[in-house]
Amino acid sequence: MTIAITGGVELPAFREDVELRTADGLTLVGELALPETADPVATLVCLHPLPTHGGFMDSHIIRKAAARLPALADVAVLRFNFRGVTSPRGTSEGSFGDGVDERHDLAAAMALVAQRQLPHPWLVGWSFGTEVALKWGLEHPVEGAILLSPPLRRTTEPELAAWAGSGKRLVAVVPEHDDYLKPPEATARFAAAVPEAEVVAVDDGKHLWVGEKQTARVLTEIVRVVNPAALPLPTEWPV
């Protein structure tokens, strides 16, 4: 017997509530999900959408990555609330830092990755989370960054251009009908600043990636980057 892997289905994983301590003295709440049956081959450090517009560690793509990918792709998934953000897991201390103070939040997450000796970390940012990844990701030993619906609004041109020649892979997954940055403009801006960056245009996609078809596409693009041997992702799970 099998079940369809859709919606809120949570596949088996070792899940642990974690706390992150920032250099400026805040405690952030999060969760680490690890594969049950194998050592992780890569680690996703998930950076959620804009807190002032409802973004949190349970924003659906990030929640579904944590629910599915440890089992389907043998990856570790670390997700957490940025400062001042509340979710069912709890509330992270502090207040919204407009992408600047969140530098410390990312550093705290990467400290946990190092402490746990989690392999091959990748930043997975969504919307506002992509700004944090682009602004501060180069300060850390990451393999690269996967950018979901990047607005490129808070990221300065010098910050973006700094990724060129960094040796870190940059993959932007851009929906056709994005509210802020559509594929043609994204392609032009990344090509000018980071020629080696890869822009993946997703037909019929929207900024919030609503619906199982779009969710599956986004998770597939993430796995294509971090563990392509796990593709294609199963759509059913034995029970």
Side-chain angles (χ1 to χ4, degrees):
M1 180 179 175
T2 62
I3 57 170
I5 303 172
T6 61
V9 169
E10 185 175 271
L11 300 180
F14 292 118
R15 295 186 168 87
E16 175 189 354
D17 288 343
V18 295
E19 292 186 344
L20 311 177
R21 190 72 175 169
T22 69
D24 58 344
L26 302 179
T27 298
L28 314 179
V29 299
E31 178 201 80
L32 176 63
L34 299 171
E36 272 193 343
T37 59
D39 292 331
V41 300
T43 304
L44 308 181
V45 179
C46 297
L47 309 174
H48 65 69
L50 190 62
T52 55
H53 285 65
F56 62 156
M57 64 180 275
D58 285 329
S59 292
H60 82 102
I61 291 293
I62 292 174
R63 174 174 52 81
K64 291 167 186 172
R68 303 181 192 183
L69 296 187
L72 298 182
D74 290 335
V75 295
V77 180
L78 174 63
R79 59 192 177 115
F80 62 96
N81 287 329
F82 284 127
R83 56 188 56 213
V85 175
T86 296
S87 73
R89 165 69 182 91
T91 299
S92 289
E93 295 176 346
S95 58
F96 178 56
D98 203 31
V100 178
D101 294 337
E102 284 79 7
R103 174 185 196 173
H104 302 303
D105 303 355
L106 174 56
M110 293 305 301
L112 179 71
V113 169
Q115 177 190 0
R116 298 295 182 91
Q117 298 182 314
L118 298 172
H120 303 296
W122 287 84
L123 304 181
V124 179
W126 180 8
S127 193
F128 171 75
T130 70
E131 311 277 28
V132 176
L134 287 170
K135 291 171 79 69
W136 311 118
L138 288 174
E139 297 182 346
H140 303 286
V142 296
E143 301 287 326
I146 301 168
L147 313 174
L148 310 178
S149 307
L152 295 185
R153 300 177 78 186
R154 290 173 172 81
T155 306
T156 67
E157 291 303 318
E159 286 170 338
L160 183 59
W163 287 78
S166 67
K168 301 183 188 300
R169 191 172 172 190
L170 205 56
V171 180
V173 184
V174 183
E176 179 183 7
H177 304 298
D178 193 86
D179 299 308
Y180 305 102
L181 188 74
K182 292 178 171 59
E185 183 186 358
T187 298
R189 289 191 64 181
F190 279 101
V194 192
E196 65 268 39
E198 178 185 357
V199 176
V200 180
V202 177
D203 292 345
D204 299 323
K206 295 183 179 181
H207 190 76
L208 297 180
W209 305 107
V210 174
E212 181 56 36
K213 180 179 179 181
Q214 296 298 328
T215 295
R217 176 64 188 276
V218 170
L219 297 183
T220 292
E221 291 298 336
I222 292 171
V223 174
R224 180 182 64 83
V225 174
V226 305
N227 186 17
L231 294 178
L233 294 178
T235 59
E236 296 183 329
W237 186 261
V239 293

